[in-house]
Amino acid sequence: MGNRLTLVGHGPTAATRVAAFPVDEPLSDPGPVSTAGLSRVAVALRGPETRCAQTATALGLAASVDDRLRDLDFGAWRGRTLDEVAAAEPAAVTRWLTDPAAAPHGGESLADLVARVGGWLDERPTDPAPVVAVTHPSVVRAALVHALGADPAAYWRIDVVPLSRTVLRGGPGRWALRWLSPAGQRDE
């Protein structure tokens, strides 16, 4: 059976509503937050950002901060919308969207993000106790890319919505996708 890891995408923020590169902003009104399926949690972790802390609290989780669950570093693009950046730096955006090793914003590349999150996954203790990690859509995408053994370019083919849940089972080098659920639906 192996480990059971539930990745919860943080709740909506002003940045998620307008397709902006986030700063450390708080949640906007997330609406009702379902705690279904989270009663058996043995370990709760979260990214260090405010939006992860507030989501964990809304879910009733006393989550410890794990820095490797931090959001992708968008460098100079933080706080700007994708449309603004694309209008000002079209070649840089194209490069970023087509080359996983590129970080034209001066932050972290997708390849580096996948490596960071993959390392975190593969260093999880082998323990059947359920773990919940409240984190960012970028981190959930990177975890799926790693778990599925996909090329980092597959990152762009995964859509993660606020408050969604992704369940992985397994352990180092053998993670498998168990369940994906949009916000408000119970996982199995």
Side-chain angles (χ1 to χ4, degrees):
M1 183 186 289
N3 295 349
R4 176 186 168 98
L5 172 64
T6 302
L7 299 166
V8 179
H10 66 69
T13 66
T16 60
R17 294 192 189 282
V18 297
F21 296 101
V23 294
D24 190 14
E25 73 272 353
L27 296 178
S28 54
D29 179 19
V33 177
S34 172
T35 59
L38 298 179
S39 61
R40 303 176 314 233
V41 174
V43 176
L45 304 170
R46 68 172 176 85
E49 295 84 359
T50 301
R51 54 198 179 272
C52 292
Q54 291 177 333
T55 300
T57 298
L59 290 168
L61 300 171
S64 300
V65 173
D66 188 318
D67 189 60
R68 290 198 290 177
L69 294 173
R70 72 187 177 279
D71 202 357
L72 175 67
D73 180 356
F74 295 103
W77 294 353
R78 279 186 293 244
R80 299 168 64 191
T81 68
L82 178 58
D83 288 343
E84 289 170 346
V85 174
E89 304 175 49
V93 170
T94 298
R95 184 167 169 238
W96 181 62
L97 292 172
T98 58
D99 179 2
H105 43 61
E108 188 176 22
S109 73
L110 294 180
D112 289 341
L113 172 68
V114 170
R116 167 172 48 99
V117 174
W120 176 81
L121 274 174
D122 288 342
E123 291 171 17
R124 304 291 329 132
T126 303
D127 184 351
V131 175
V132 171
V134 178
T135 189
H136 307 276
S138 63
V139 172
V140 176
R141 287 171 160 180
L144 285 168
V145 166
H146 178 77
L148 299 173
D151 184 278
Y155 175 92
W156 296 116
R157 302 198 185 283
I158 303 168
D159 192 17
V160 176
V161 299
L163 298 173
S164 63
R165 297 181 189 173
T166 302
V167 179
L168 300 175
R169 284 224 183 226
R174 56 179 181 78
W175 289 100
L177 174 60
R178 171 84 171 140
W179 181 263
L180 292 168
S181 69
Q185 288 191 1
R186 184 177 171 85
D187 60 344
E188 58 176 37

